[in-house]
Amino acid sequence: MTIKISIDCMGGDHGLSVTIPAAISFLKREAQAELILVGLEDAIRAELKKHHADAHPRISIHHASEQVAMDDPLEVALRRKKDSSMRVAVEQVKDGKAQAAVSAGNTGALMAVSRYVLKTMAGVDRPAICSIMPNQKGGPTYMLDLGANVDCEPHHLHQFAIMGSVLVHAMEGIARPTIGLLNVGTEDIKGNEVVKLTSKLLQADHERGALNFYGNVEGNDIFKGTTDLVVCDGFVGNVTLKSVEGVARFFKDVLTSEFKRNIFTMLGALIASSALKAIKSRLNPSRYNGASLLGLRGLVFKSHGGADAYSFEWAIRRAYDAAKNDVQAQLSTMIAELMPRSTETTQEPSSVT
Amino acid sequence: MTIKISIDCMGGDHGLSVTIPAAISFLKREAQAELILVGLEDAIRAELKKHHADAHPRISIHHASEQVAMDDPLEVALRRKKDSSMRVAVEQVKDGKAQAAVSAGNTGALMAVSRYVLKTMAGVDRPAICSIMPNQKGGPTYMLDLGANVDCEPHHLHQFAIMGSVLVHAMEGIARPTIGLLNVGTEDIKGNEVVKLTSKLLQADHERGALNFYGNVEGNDIFKGTTDLVVCDGFVGNVTLKSVEGVARFFKDVLTSEFKRNIFTMLGALIASSALKAIKSRLNPSRYNGASLLGLRGLVFKSHGGADAYSFEWAIRRAYDAAKNDVQAQLSTMIAELMPRSTETTQEPSSVT
């Protein structure tokens, strides 16, 4: 079955110079995939030509006259730039022309535009951002929310757990993914009020067999791979994600500079190059690029803004895998089963005409 | 001038086998220092003898018949074990016999015991835990709170900023340390309600010249060294700290296993051993061991529970440096100047008789 993904080609720090090579490389890997490239048509054509792919049979171009800048306020992304490549890429999903959209644009803008265009799923109060981190067991640890919701109530975290669990199930084929609640200790008495109340909700789901709740986990459990999924609010998740990225960059810089220090260290690096390559590959954040915006009526994936082509291709691959595994249908089914009635009126950005 | 530090010799995962060698090694380094070793007298003597230090002229032993286990509930540490090595070590500070206490025991217990024995400083609502992380500029980034306060109001974070700023000033000799408020973005509109309100308090202090507030920082700024101090609540701080420790361990394991993979990678590691040594030293978390419990009427330092002797020695060194730089007096003076009137009644653990 052919799966179509729409790409916001203008988003991110590098725009076309990253998104086009990534798209071409992705199509080489996935023979069943088709891409809709969204953005300035002439510029996209020119970039495709550079890579001798201007007549690719599985690429179509959808012109969009505007682009959302990384520092555009939400209002501008939402209300002023109605023909932005970001918005038009998401509209392809809404119109059924693509099964998922990918953008490296501003996270807040992408979430606002996606909520406006696609709307939130029935039963979900707030969409969340879910991504993966490497762990010592060799698998990915899924984690959400990574920044969409900075002030959360227990029922929000509860919904994140349900959505995340469905995503892990669909993407990894794990029957009953284990769920950890991020906390400052593993004992029940630990944590702030929101986390303590969330724990009770998840425990109740566990007891009736609806979710596989492991209990509290700590920051280091993300990398131990203690649970398949780690749930937290968007403030904690975002700070953790960026701290970890910061440490990884620090580590990489130290590694590089120390091995370049003198002829012996360079020689050592040369001889041990397979080890260094393996280290870089195992710790490469590029392989973990591509966060899901979960809880919308359609699949949207967010790439890191500073992603290079290799890394952006991973985001496309994740979107493709999600579409292929029919994550959206599984989400709908399982949320209808598991989700308690919504306790708040979903607020969509309103009066955008 | 002689400076005396009291050591809880029984605390931590390893007790005497770590604390005694660390104490002896520390005294070799600091000719002006004296140590009061607190714990089971016979066991301490036996361990000192093993290291040929049973007649060390700068060591005195203070017997304490009990010890706080790592998993003892707070009530037990506080109310039942009144002759614990942890409590007696802190009492040495209260009684003026030591200028600072060091323990690798349970953090919650140490904080509760310290608050009970020493009391909170005038003007401070809640003590906080402050530690250091390495940054790419080669210096330490100070960060608080790392877990003492999981539910914080803006005025708590404000007080943490003041206390942390004084600590950086006293320990690093920086006239006006820069203060960053940990957030999910650098723009003023970012963050949850508590952080937004804290930002206003810090901005007001900045404008009247009382504090050097840089503004919002993100997780990666901790390791970039964007500011001298990073302020956050204890929930976020604890999760971040443990996540970073988890990533560091993951890195170390990958590095070690890849270089041991075959004869070439081992040979490469051998030739580049100076690079590997430098990498391990620059990223060694042991060098950053020793967190201050700030805001008490006396200096208390907490070592990582799993610390080895090398790492525990760093915690003693940090306590010694704090005492030498008279951090406590500087805190008292500057808090009296900077701190707005306390808005809540300080709650000490009560009715411990």
Side-chain angles (χ1 to χ4, degrees):
Chain A
M1 194 192 70
T2 298
I3 287 169
K4 262 193 197 172
I5 310 290
S6 62
I7 312 279
D8 164 12
C9 290
M10 316 306 285
D13 298 344
H14 311 297
L16 293 167
S17 68
V18 154
T19 55
I20 300 297
I24 296 167
S25 170
F26 166 76
L27 287 173
K28 275 189 198 137
R29 179 184 300 272
E30 293 292 348
Q32 299 294 311
E34 292 187 18
L35 295 179
I36 304 172
L37 304 184
V38 182
L40 296 171
E41 184 163 0
D42 292 348
I44 293 175
R45 280 203 195 287
E47 192 70 26
L48 282 172
K49 201 162 186 178
K50 255 196 225 168
H51 297 273
H52 314 290
D54 42 335
H56 199 296
R58 289 183 282 130
I59 284 179
S60 57
I61 300 174
H62 196 301
H63 179 67
S65 62
E66 295 171 303
Q67 46 193 296
V68 175
M70 289 307 267
D71 55 354
D72 271 344
L74 286 194
E75 285 71 28
V76 170
L78 209 53
R79 289 177 172 73
R80 301 250 187 91
K81 296 186 171 175
K82 288 175 195 158
D83 196 37
S84 73
S85 55
M86 177 189 281
R87 179 155 168 178
V88 174
V90 175
E91 281 169 349
Q92 303 307 302
V93 177
K94 184 180 179 249
D95 297 344
K97 292 178 188 155
Q99 276 90 67
V102 181
S103 174
N106 177 293
T107 310
L110 182 61
M111 182 55 102
V113 163
S114 299
R115 282 183 77 161
Y116 177 72
V117 170
L118 294 172
K119 311 300 177 204
T120 303
M121 289 179 78
V124 175
D125 287 321
R126 297 190 191 174
I129 300 172
C130 186
S131 195
I132 53 174
M133 309 241 191
N135 69 44
Q136 287 182 298
K137 291 184 178 164
T141 301
Y142 283 69
M143 185 167 166
L144 86 170
D145 173 35
L146 295 181
N149 308 281
V150 292
D151 280 301
C152 287
E153 299 296 321
H155 70 277
H156 296 131
L157 294 178
H158 182 208
Q159 293 182 3
F160 298 167
I162 296 172
M163 294 195 288
S165 179
V166 175
L167 185 70
V168 178
H169 169 73
M171 295 290 275
E172 306 294 329
I174 297 169
R176 304 187 71 240
T178 48
I179 301 167
L181 183 61
L182 194 58
N183 203 339
V184 298
T186 53
E187 306 90 336
D188 281 346
I189 54 151
K190 290 284 178 116
N192 56 28
E193 283 313 305
V194 171
V195 164
K196 281 185 205 167
L197 292 169
T198 305
S199 177
K200 284 183 189 164
L201 295 175
L202 292 173
Q203 192 55 43
D205 273 350
H206 182 79
E207 280 159 20
R208 66 188 180 89
L211 288 178
N212 191 2
F213 181 47
Y214 170 89
N216 292 331
V217 293
E218 299 184 271
N220 51 340
D221 288 305
I222 302 167
F223 305 96
K224 275 190 192 166
T226 306
T227 56
D228 301 312
L229 176 70
V230 171
V231 175
C232 59
D233 74 45
F235 192 95
V236 172
N238 187 274
V239 167
T240 302
L241 179 72
K242 286 181 184 157
S243 299
V244 164
E245 285 175 355
V247 175
R249 196 163 308 126
F250 183 23
F251 183 81
K252 203 183 151 193
D253 288 353
V254 170
L255 201 69
T256 307
S257 72
E258 290 301 338
F259 275 107
K260 282 189 180 156
R261 190 174 288 270
N262 61 47
I263 187 73
F264 294 106
T265 57
M266 280 191 278
L267 184 64
L270 194 68
I271 293 170
S273 63
S274 68
L276 285 171
K277 227 178 267 175
I279 290 162
K280 280 187 186 163
S281 156
R282 282 181 64 185
L283 302 175
N284 192 345
S286 301
R287 288 178 53 193
Y288 301 91
N289 191 31
S292 325
L293 273 51
L294 274 185
L296 300 163
R297 299 187 189 176
L299 293 173
V300 179
F301 279 77
K302 155 79 181 131
S303 158
H304 205 292
D308 59 13
Y310 174 77
S311 177
F312 191 77
E313 188 186 336
W314 274 97
I316 307 177
R317 284 169 69 174
R318 287 198 61 75
Y320 178 80
D321 287 345
K324 206 172 83 177
N325 291 311
D326 215 358
V327 164
Q328 197 61 20
Q330 294 197 46
L331 273 172
S332 298
T333 310
M334 293 189 67
I335 281 169
E337 268 177 44
L338 291 179
M339 204 79 100
R341 281 296 108 229
S342 170
T343 54
E344 62 188 62
T345 310
T346 303
Q347 287 177 353
E348 303 294 347
S350 58
S351 72
V352 181
T353 51
Chain B
M1 194 192 71
T2 298
I3 288 169
K4 262 194 196 171
I5 310 291
S6 62
I7 312 280
D8 165 13
C9 289
M10 316 306 284
D13 299 343
H14 311 296
L16 293 167
S17 67
V18 154
T19 54
I20 300 297
I24 297 167
S25 171
F26 166 78
L27 287 173
K28 277 190 197 135
R29 180 184 298 270
E30 293 293 346
Q32 298 294 311
E34 293 186 16
L35 295 180
I36 304 172
L37 303 185
V38 182
L40 296 170
E41 184 162 359
D42 292 349
I44 292 175
R45 279 203 196 288
E47 191 72 27
L48 282 171
K49 202 163 185 177
K50 255 196 224 166
H51 297 273
H52 314 291
D54 42 335
H56 199 296
R58 288 184 283 129
I59 285 179
S60 57
I61 299 175
H62 196 301
H63 180 67
S65 61
E66 295 172 302
Q67 45 193 295
V68 175
M70 288 309 266
D71 55 355
D72 271 345
L74 286 194
E75 284 72 29
V76 171
L78 209 53
R79 289 177 172 75
R80 301 249 186 90
K81 297 186 171 173
K82 287 176 195 160
D83 196 38
S84 73
S85 55
M86 179 189 279
R87 179 155 167 177
V88 174
V90 175
E91 280 170 349
Q92 304 307 301
V93 177
K94 182 178 180 250
D95 297 343
K97 291 177 188 156
Q99 276 91 66
V102 181
S103 174
N106 178 292
T107 310
L110 182 61
M111 182 56 102
V113 163
S114 300
R115 281 182 78 161
Y116 177 72
V117 170
L118 294 172
K119 312 299 178 204
T120 303
M121 288 180 78
V124 174
D125 288 320
R126 298 191 191 171
I129 300 172
C130 186
S131 193
I132 53 173
M133 308 241 190
N135 70 43
Q136 287 182 298
K137 290 183 179 165
T141 301
Y142 282 68
M143 186 166 164
L144 86 170
D145 172 35
L146 294 181
N149 308 281
V150 292
D151 281 300
C152 288
E153 299 297 320
H155 71 277
H156 297 131
L157 294 177
H158 183 208
Q159 293 181 5
F160 299 166
I162 295 171
M163 293 195 289
S165 179
V166 174
L167 185 70
V168 178
H169 170 73
M171 295 289 275
E172 306 293 328
I174 296 170
R176 303 186 72 240
T178 48
I179 301 167
L181 183 60
L182 194 58
N183 203 339
V184 298
T186 52
E187 308 88 337
D188 282 346
I189 54 150
K190 291 283 178 117
N192 56 28
E193 284 312 306
V194 170
V195 164
K196 281 185 204 167
L197 291 168
T198 306
S199 177
K200 284 183 188 162
L201 295 175
L202 292 173
Q203 192 54 43
D205 274 351
H206 182 80
E207 279 159 20
R208 66 189 179 89
L211 289 178
N212 191 2
F213 180 47
Y214 171 88
N216 291 329
V217 294
E218 299 184 271
N220 51 340
D221 288 305
I222 302 166
F223 305 96
K224 276 190 193 166
T226 307
T227 55
D228 300 313
L229 176 70
V230 171
V231 175
C232 59
D233 73 46
F235 192 96
V236 173
N238 187 275
V239 167
T240 301
L241 178 72
K242 286 180 183 157
S243 299
V244 164
E245 285 175 356
V247 175
R249 197 163 308 125
F250 184 24
F251 281 164
K252 203 182 151 193
D253 289 354
V254 170
L255 201 68
T256 307
S257 73
E258 290 301 337
F259 274 107
K260 282 188 180 156
R261 190 174 287 270
N262 61 46
I263 186 72
F264 294 106
T265 56
M266 280 191 275
L267 182 65
L270 194 69
I271 295 171
S273 63
S274 68
L276 285 172
K277 227 178 268 174
I279 290 163
K280 279 188 185 160
S281 157
R282 283 183 63 185
L283 300 175
N284 192 345
S286 301
R287 288 178 53 195
Y288 300 91
N289 190 31
S292 326
L293 272 52
L294 274 185
L296 300 163
R297 298 187 190 177
L299 292 174
V300 179
F301 279 77
K302 155 80 181 131
S303 158
H304 205 292
D308 60 13
Y310 174 77
S311 177
F312 191 77
E313 187 186 338
W314 273 97
I316 308 176
R317 285 169 69 175
R318 286 198 62 75
Y320 179 79
D321 287 346
K324 206 172 84 178
N325 291 311
D326 214 358
V327 164
Q328 197 61 21
Q330 293 197 49
L331 272 172
S332 298
T333 310
M334 293 189 66
I335 281 170
E337 267 178 44
L338 290 178
M339 205 79 99
R341 281 297 108 227
S342 171
T343 54
E344 62 189 61
T345 310
T346 303
Q347 288 176 353
E348 303 294 348
S350 56
S351 71
V352 182
T353 52

